[in-house]
């Protein structure tokens, strides 16, 4: 287990806990979110995580805010596992930078769905006006289905509703 953990009276609202929970529920293979046991096993068993050893119980304490100050090695290992900057977990990023990280996470989740990826890739090489027409058509379908004009979190580049389809490819958060 990692050393250097402390308790905080405000622990339940820890930015670290919030961000970890977001990553656990968002960045996972299609089907089910990661478990603390799976992430602990992957990190503890992988040299690419710097030889860090964490337990399922320690991850649980980080996620529920009972521990709020993990070692830098643990933070680096978690950031590497979920493929996010360490500053995101530390809370060192500005709100706009943190939102950008979360936007990229939503994009990666959306791109796991083979159907979404197929639509995106088929538009590559088409003239901008044709891509604009496709965007208009998709917007019309969204409106007909009483969906919001843009998926939640879509701020320009790419957004997704966080759901990976049944045909999505499995990834484990590593690059």
């Amino acid at each position: 287990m990692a050393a250097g953990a402390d308790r905080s009276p405000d622990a339940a609202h820890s930015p670290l806990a919030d961000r970890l929970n977001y990553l656990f529920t968002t960045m996972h293979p299609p089907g089910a979110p990661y478990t603390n046991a799976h992430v602990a096993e992957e990190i503890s068993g992988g040299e690419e995580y710097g030889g860090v050893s964490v337990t399922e119980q320690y991850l649980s304490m980080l996620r529920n805010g009972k521990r709020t100050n993990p070692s830098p090695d643990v933070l680096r290992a978690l950031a590497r596992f979920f493929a996010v900057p360490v500053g995101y977990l530390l809370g060192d990023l500005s709100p706009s930078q943190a939102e950008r990280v979360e936007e990229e996470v939503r994009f990666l989740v959306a791109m796991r769905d083979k159907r979404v990826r197929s639509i995106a890739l088929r538009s590559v090489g088409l003239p901008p006006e044709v891509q604009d027409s496709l965007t208009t058509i998709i917007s019309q379908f969204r409106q007909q289905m009483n969906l919001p004009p843009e998926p939640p979190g879509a701020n320009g580049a790419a957004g997704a509703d966080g759901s990976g389809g049944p045909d999505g490819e499995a990834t484990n958060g590593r690059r």
Side-chain angles (χ1 to χ4, degrees):
M1 178 163 19
D6 66 3
R7 291 181 184 262
S8 163
D10 220 7
H13 301 291
S14 153
L16 175 62
D18 292 343
R19 290 184 172 126
L20 278 176
N21 285 318
Y22 173 76
L23 292 171
F24 266 83
T25 58
T26 307
M27 285 294 291
H28 57 80
Y34 285 127
T35 63
N36 293 333
H38 175 80
V39 174
E41 183 179 321
E42 285 286 319
I43 288 174
S44 297
E47 281 305 310
E48 66 266 33
Y49 300 108
V52 171
S53 181
V54 295
T55 65
E56 161 183 10
Q57 294 80 11
Y58 187 67
L59 286 178
S60 176
M61 289 188 282
L62 288 174
R63 291 182 66 195
N64 68 25
K66 289 183 180 175
R67 296 284 189 253
T68 59
N69 191 20
S71 73
D73 290 340
V74 168
L75 285 171
R76 277 192 293 274
L78 286 166
R80 179 166 292 164
F81 180 85
F82 288 110
V84 297
V86 175
Y88 174 74
L89 294 176
L90 286 171
D92 286 348
L93 303 181
S94 70
S96 65
Q97 291 171 319
E99 176 55 36
R100 178 70 181 150
V101 169
E102 291 171 0
E103 183 178 308
E104 290 174 10
V105 166
R106 288 187 294 271
F107 173 75
L108 291 173
V109 169
M111 292 311 289
R112 284 189 199 139
D113 186 319
K114 286 182 181 178
R115 293 169 297 222
V116 171
R117 194 170 50 249
S118 175
I119 291 167
L121 290 173
R122 288 177 186 200
S123 71
V124 172
L126 294 174
E129 59 274 5
V130 173
Q131 290 177 349
D132 291 343
S133 295
L134 290 172
T135 300
T136 301
I137 291 167
I138 290 170
S139 295
Q140 289 170 347
F141 276 118
R142 292 186 66 80
Q143 183 178 14
Q144 288 173 358
M145 300 179 82
N146 294 321
L147 295 171
E150 295 290 329
N155 292 332
D161 62 4
S163 62
D167 294 333
E169 283 183 12
T171 63
N172 66 357
R174 288 187 256 169
R175 291 180 185 212

